[in-house]
Amino acid sequence: MSDAYSSLSTPAGHRSSSTESRRSVEAPLTLTDKPPRTLGAGAQTAMWASFGVTLFGPLTGALVTQSVGSLGGGLAACALGTLVGALLLGGAAGIGAHTGTPSMVGLRGLLGRGASVVPTVLNIAQNIGWAMMEIIVITSAATHIVGAAWHWPFVIVAGALCTLMAIRPLGSVKILRTVMLWLVLAGSIYLFVMVLRQPSHAIGQDAVIGFWPGVDLAAAQVVSFAPLAADYSRHATSGRSAFASSATGYGLAIFAYYALGVFAVAHLGGDLAGTNLLAALMVLPVGGLAIGLLLLDELDNAFANVYSSTVSVHNLAPRLDRRVISVAVGVVATVLAGLAGFDQYEGFLYLIGSAFVPLFTVAVVDFFVTRRGRWDTTAAAPFRWSPTLAWFIGFVAYQLIYPGSIPGWSDLWAGLAQALGFVAPGWLGSTLGSIVVSAVAAAGLGAIDTAVRRHRAEERLA
């Protein structure tokens, strides 16, 4: 297997004993050196579970339930979406453990060095967007507790803390598994108990669009972490632990928080769109304190997005110090969070899903089936047409089945589907449809590409 680090020279004096000692316990500052393998199964599971403990979980669970229109349907859609997303997340983490590279650098082996710039730019954009929205939700919850006058102070403090965590990522992971995860468990259990003690309400049918769009929403949030997975699993001690820890740790935690949103819709009633759900949870007895505990853990998701934006930039500028990048990304996300709103969250989830669901489906099929781990992740990695085309086919399939709700964009794809005479059956969702289409395309085109390369090799030997 080719190595992304082999094409990069090591600066003089870079391997001094003192520097080596520091690097053994913290992520490297550039793409020059290989990362330390310090994360075992327990540390990874706690880290991923902490990432799954997020206030966006109940927000998404509420959206899913309103989309489906029933408590049982909401739970089922969340469960299926979580399962599908967790398998893709685990596959992406397994790839990172094998290659030892950040996610976007690893995609050189799938698409080629030049073509990997496309998902890299998309990932930087989505991570800055996620970091921005994490800061927004932290600030919204905090100002509900102490007052709107504290909006900008909370924006600045949240942005500064997640940026500091991104500067020391492995040290932050240690804090997540030893402190934050346990702190929020009490708050989480309390919220579940208090929500379930409230009388049940009929679920409104005004926003119902079907079961499969609900599955798409649930899967999209999980899959949004797939482009980040290798940024952490490159520090894993084994590929199996990376797969199992990410899939189970994140999957179980996020499903629990989806379920909180599902039960909130059924038991709290009223308009629970967006951050209204957080306000409804905080008016429960001691609900503000419970949400306050969860806010401590919400910083880890913002940190994860700032850090992954940082190491994604390394695919474009491998020698740039990640600390400088983290500060720049943190400042941008913080400023945007102070100025932007929460209105396009649902459309944002669908757009993320349409890009990264087929991409990481193709990556998993290509890495584990077609190429069997033989990816060239160096700066000289050549363009690969078959997985690139498979990704595009999966993306188109996702959009044709359900393009989301962003004005203009959804209208464009709805018009194209009408022109093609395509009508998606009611039992087909964008996520599962895109996974099947992109997996079949990746396997089929990969087999053709392999046969062509083998034939050319035989001709050269003849």
Side-chain angles (χ1 to χ4, degrees):
M1 185 192 315
S2 295
D3 191 312
Y5 310 99
S6 62
S7 63
L8 296 170
S9 61
T10 303
H14 189 67
R15 295 190 180 277
S16 66
S17 58
S18 61
T19 303
E20 188 69 28
S21 174
R22 289 195 299 272
R23 294 293 171 85
S24 66
V25 295
E26 193 48 81
L29 299 181
T30 69
L31 194 62
T32 303
D33 292 329
K34 293 183 178 181
R37 299 282 188 158
T38 59
L39 298 181
Q44 291 178 82
T45 302
M47 176 190 72
W48 283 108
S50 187
F51 287 155
V53 175
T54 169
L55 293 174
F56 278 94
L59 294 177
T60 301
L63 278 176
V64 171
T65 307
Q66 291 164 344
S67 298
V68 175
S70 68
L71 187 149
L75 288 174
C78 287
L80 183 55
T82 299
L83 176 62
V84 172
L87 290 175
L88 279 181
L89 175 63
I95 291 173
H98 283 286
T99 63
T101 62
S103 294
M104 296 302 109
V105 176
L107 288 181
R108 295 174 180 179
L110 179 70
L111 306 173
R113 169 64 179 84
S116 71
V117 170
V118 176
T120 297
V121 172
L122 290 175
N123 193 45
I124 292 170
Q126 75 121 351
N127 276 308
I128 291 176
W130 269 117
M132 174 194 74
M133 288 203 293
E134 293 287 355
I135 296 171
I136 288 174
V137 80
I138 291 169
T139 302
S140 297
T143 53
H144 269 107
I145 298 172
V146 300
W150 289 85
H151 171 79
W152 271 106
F154 273 110
V155 167
I156 294 170
V157 169
L161 288 175
C162 70
T163 302
L164 289 173
M165 292 173 72
I167 290 174
R168 289 191 56 81
L170 294 184
S172 298
V173 166
K174 183 177 180 180
I175 294 173
L176 296 182
R177 71 175 186 262
T178 57
V179 180
M180 285 189 179
L181 183 61
W182 304 108
L183 274 178
V184 301
L185 280 178
S188 304
I189 294 171
Y190 177 81
L191 286 174
F192 263 99
V193 171
M194 292 307 299
V195 167
L196 292 174
R197 289 182 62 183
Q198 307 307 308
S200 60
H201 294 263
I203 296 176
Q205 303 297 301
D206 295 341
V208 172
I209 54 178
F211 177 79
W212 291 108
V215 173
D216 296 334
L217 280 172
Q221 181 163 337
V222 184
V223 175
S224 71
F225 260 98
L228 287 67
D231 301 336
Y232 304 95
S233 65
R234 63 180 177 143
H235 300 288
T237 54
S238 74
R240 288 184 178 180
S241 69
F243 174 87
S245 299
S246 57
T248 58
Y250 190 84
L252 291 175
I254 197 63
F255 176 72
Y257 272 72
Y258 283 166
L260 178 60
V262 174
F263 288 122
V265 172
H267 286 267
L268 300 183
D271 179 14
L272 299 181
T275 55
N276 290 344
L277 174 59
L278 300 182
L281 292 173
M282 282 188 284
V283 299
L284 295 171
V286 202
L289 177 60
I291 293 294
L293 287 174
L294 297 184
L295 289 180
L296 293 174
D297 195 65
E298 197 67 34
L299 285 169
D300 65 358
N301 291 279
F303 133 70
N305 288 291
V306 172
Y307 176 64
S308 286
S309 295
T310 297
V311 293
S312 293
V313 172
H314 275 162
N315 190 37
L316 310 176
R319 288 190 171 88
L320 192 59
D321 190 317
R322 64 170 174 78
R323 296 171 297 187
V324 175
I325 308 171
S326 291
V327 171
V329 170
V331 168
V332 171
T334 301
V335 171
L336 290 175
L339 301 175
F342 199 76
D343 298 335
Q344 292 298 322
Y345 174 57
E346 183 176 356
F348 182 61
L349 282 180
Y350 280 121
L351 194 58
I352 289 171
S354 68
F356 290 115
V357 165
L359 175 62
F360 281 92
T361 299
V362 172
V364 169
V365 171
D366 188 79
F367 187 86
F368 291 106
V369 179
T370 303
R371 287 297 181 96
R372 298 185 183 277
R374 295 185 295 273
W375 272 8
D376 179 1
T377 58
T378 67
F383 173 72
R384 297 185 59 208
W385 67 270
S386 60
T388 303
L389 180 58
W391 177 29
F392 177 74
I393 292 171
F395 171 79
V396 171
Y398 193 108
Q399 295 295 335
L400 290 176
I401 296 169
Y402 187 70
S405 56
I406 296 178
W409 177 263
S410 58
D411 296 335
L412 172 67
W413 285 98
L416 179 59
Q418 184 176 14
L420 294 174
F422 175 77
V423 178
W427 50 265
L428 181 64
S430 291
T431 297
L432 293 181
S434 177
I435 286 173
V436 171
V437 169
S438 54
V440 170
L445 294 172
I448 294 172
D449 187 33
T450 299
V452 169
R453 288 187 295 107
R454 183 181 298 116
H455 177 68
R456 288 175 178 173
E458 290 172 352
E459 284 186 336
R460 286 195 297 268
L461 293 174

